[in-house]
Structure formats: structure tokens, C-alpha cells
Amino acid sequence: MLSDGERTVVVGGVEHWVRVAGAASGGVPLVLLHGGPGESAYGVERSVGDELAKVAPVVFYDQRGCGRTARPADPSTYTMNQLVADLEELRTTLGLDRIVPWGVSFGCLLAAEYAVAHRNQVDRLILHAPPIVSPLHPGLWTMRPSAVDPFLTDAERTELRTQLAPLTDPIERTVTAITVLAGSGDVADFFYHDPTNIPPADVNAPAGNSEMAMALVGNERPDLADDLAALDVPTLILAGLWDRQVGFDIPRDLSTRLPHATLEIFPHAAHSIDEEQPLEYVQTIQKFLHP
């Protein structure tokens, strides 16, 4: 039986930070799979986590090397296969028969890979801004610089294009684009539809793990969408109309591919739907879990 509260759980040889909320709510637990790669559950946990815990049990955890979880002794374990194995060991350690993987951004890749590997343990699937593309799509990283470009000043735009000119590798081009964006005064316009929705700086928020990020960025399996489409898992896809990080076409097209998918569009949100439309976000998931 689940019980509320924080704890440390050793999975994959690494001490993982875990918090359970809403254990008394009943039903199949949601397991939050945070984004990044290399970020933590901290932001989503605070924006909508406790409200969702009124709807269903929620398990929050930080992936290996992220946030409040310890870093592995061997950084070569920053692989998708290991993250899937960690999640499966976490499930069995907590004594859960089935779970609802709740992926956010990068976490959608983990949720999808877990569903493909462990279909019998997945009750439903929630994908918030899934960067899961078909084998024919040019890819998220190829398109990222063009998404950044409109938000820069003329001088910044010229600088970006100058820096990109000699680069052909999509990851190098993405890193360059994000670096230029990070120094821009208009950076908020990229991440939020309405800049007034930006939460205040939180000194307690964990720092990101760039080592993990660089190990996993660009290593998405190109046929993941095909494998996911072969499953019969009820799936909720959440898409912000103004999402520049993943784009809108990727979740839209994925919803078309999956046989039991529901696409929910949030017209006043970008990538962080949970921060820009939190009430609608929780209500949508509640309806999906309890139709």
C-alpha cells in the first residue's frame, strides 16, 4: 500500500528521491516523469502536483542524477534503457501492479519507451508536449534553431545566423541557438505564451544536470512512434498551441498515429501548460482518468 510522504528508494544502484501524494485518493497511481533531460520533478510538482493528488495517487521522483536524486558513480548509465529499468524497479519496489506514466516533455520519451517495454504494467498514458516524432519527421533538434529565431532582436538574429553558418550537426546548432536565446532579453517569449505567467525565481529549485542532458539529447529512437502506435494503451496528449520547444505539429501528428489517443489543445499556453493553464490541465487529466 502506498503512503504519503518523501522517502529515498534505491533503484538501479542509485538513491532516488521519491514523494507520494494522494495515496488515499484510490485508483491507479500517476508517476510523474519529468523533462529535461536533466531537470527534476520540482516545477510540475508545485504547479499542479498536489491538485492532481486529489484526483489520483501521484508518485513524484527525480530521475538518476537529477534534482534531489543522487548522481550515479558511472555517468555512462545515463541511457534511456537504464531510465526505463529504473522506473520498472521503482514500480516493483513501491508494490504497484500498474501505473499511469505521466510524461512531461523529455519525460514523454521515457513514458513511451516504458509502455513499449512493459505494456502489462501500464494502465493509461499521459503525454504533455511529447517530442516523439515519426521516422520521416526532420526531428526536433533540426527545427529548434528556426523556432528560436523569431524571438530575437535584429542584432541577436544576425549573430545567431552567423554562428550557425558553419555548423551542420543538429545538436551543435541547437546548443548554439539556445545559448543565444539564453542571453536575450526576450527569452521569456520563447518559453511562455504570456510572460505574466512566468513564476517568480525559486532559490530552492534544483539545478539541472547538463552531463545527463548531453548524454541523452539527440538519441531518441526514430521508430519509437511506430512501436507506440502498435499498442492499445489509452493515451492523453496535451499540447500547448504556442509551444515553441516541441512545436504543435509533433503532438498533433502523434495523436493521429495512436489508435486510442485523445488530443487536448490548450490555446493560451506554450510549453509549460501546467503553469499557464493549471486549472484546465488538472480538469483534463481528471476527465481522462475518470470519464
Side-chain angles (χ1 to χ4, degrees):
M1 295 288 293
L2 280 178
S3 59
D4 288 349
E6 295 186 28
R7 66 207 70 177
T8 298
V9 177
V10 177
V11 295
V14 174
E15 291 187 346
H16 282 64
W17 173 87
V18 177
R19 176 183 166 232
V20 176
S25 297
V28 180
L30 280 69
V31 180
L32 174 61
L33 307 176
H34 63 74
E39 298 301 324
S40 74
Y42 188 88
V44 178
E45 179 193 3
R46 279 155 178 74
S47 63
V48 295
D50 287 330
E51 286 301 310
L52 274 174
K54 299 174 183 178
V55 174
V58 182
V59 177
F60 306 98
Y61 84 100
D62 290 343
Q63 297 153 24
R64 63 173 45 229
C66 298
R68 296 148 288 187
T69 288
R71 297 203 176 200
D74 181 3
S76 70
T77 61
Y78 290 136
T79 67
M80 182 57 74
N81 286 342
Q82 183 60 59
L83 294 179
V84 170
D86 288 346
L87 176 55
E88 172 61 3
E89 189 174 348
L90 177 64
R91 180 193 66 80
T92 59
T93 299
L94 294 178
L96 306 177
D97 292 330
R98 292 163 70 81
I99 61 174
V100 177
W102 166 25
V104 176
S105 195
F106 165 79
C108 295
L109 295 168
L110 174 53
E113 291 285 12
Y114 181 84
V116 170
H118 300 282
R119 168 63 187 96
N120 292 335
Q121 279 66 57
V122 174
D123 183 75
R124 291 167 181 262
L125 198 58
I126 299 173
L127 304 177
H128 166 170
I132 303 172
V133 300
S134 74
L136 301 182
H137 194 279
L140 177 65
W141 310 112
T142 297
M143 301 179 71
R144 181 63 64 79
S146 65
V148 169
D149 195 58
F151 292 94
L152 304 177
T153 65
D154 288 343
E156 292 165 344
R157 187 174 296 115
T158 298
E159 176 62 20
L160 173 62
R161 297 181 184 188
T162 299
Q163 291 191 36
L164 291 180
L167 303 178
T168 57
D169 179 77
I171 303 304
E172 290 183 356
R173 290 173 61 85
T174 290
V175 170
T176 298
I178 294 301
T179 300
V180 172
L181 177 67
S184 173
D186 298 318
V187 61
D189 292 339
F190 181 77
F191 295 101
Y192 291 83
H193 172 53
D194 182 353
T196 63
N197 290 328
I198 301 173
D202 187 343
V203 296
N204 296 313
N209 182 340
S210 60
E211 185 176 36
M212 179 185 182
M214 294 312 298
L216 288 161
V217 164
N219 290 327
E220 299 85 359
R221 196 160 58 85
D223 51 355
L224 174 58
D226 290 345
D227 289 346
L228 189 61
L231 304 181
D232 60 351
V233 181
T235 303
L236 174 64
I237 298 178
L238 309 173
L241 183 62
W242 301 94
D243 190 338
R244 306 287 182 173
Q245 290 176 272
V246 168
F248 179 75
D249 64 314
I250 293 176
R252 178 202 63 204
D253 293 347
L254 182 66
S255 72
T256 302
R257 287 290 319 280
L258 304 190
H260 302 289
T262 299
L263 174 65
E264 188 71 24
I265 302 168
F266 294 82
H268 306 297
H271 193 64
S272 299
I273 308 168
D274 55 296
E275 294 178 321
E276 299 210 79
Q277 294 191 246
L279 178 62
E280 295 88 344
Y281 189 96
V282 172
Q283 290 175 337
T284 298
I285 293 179
Q286 180 178 18
K287 182 179 178 181
F288 174 66
L289 296 176
H290 307 293

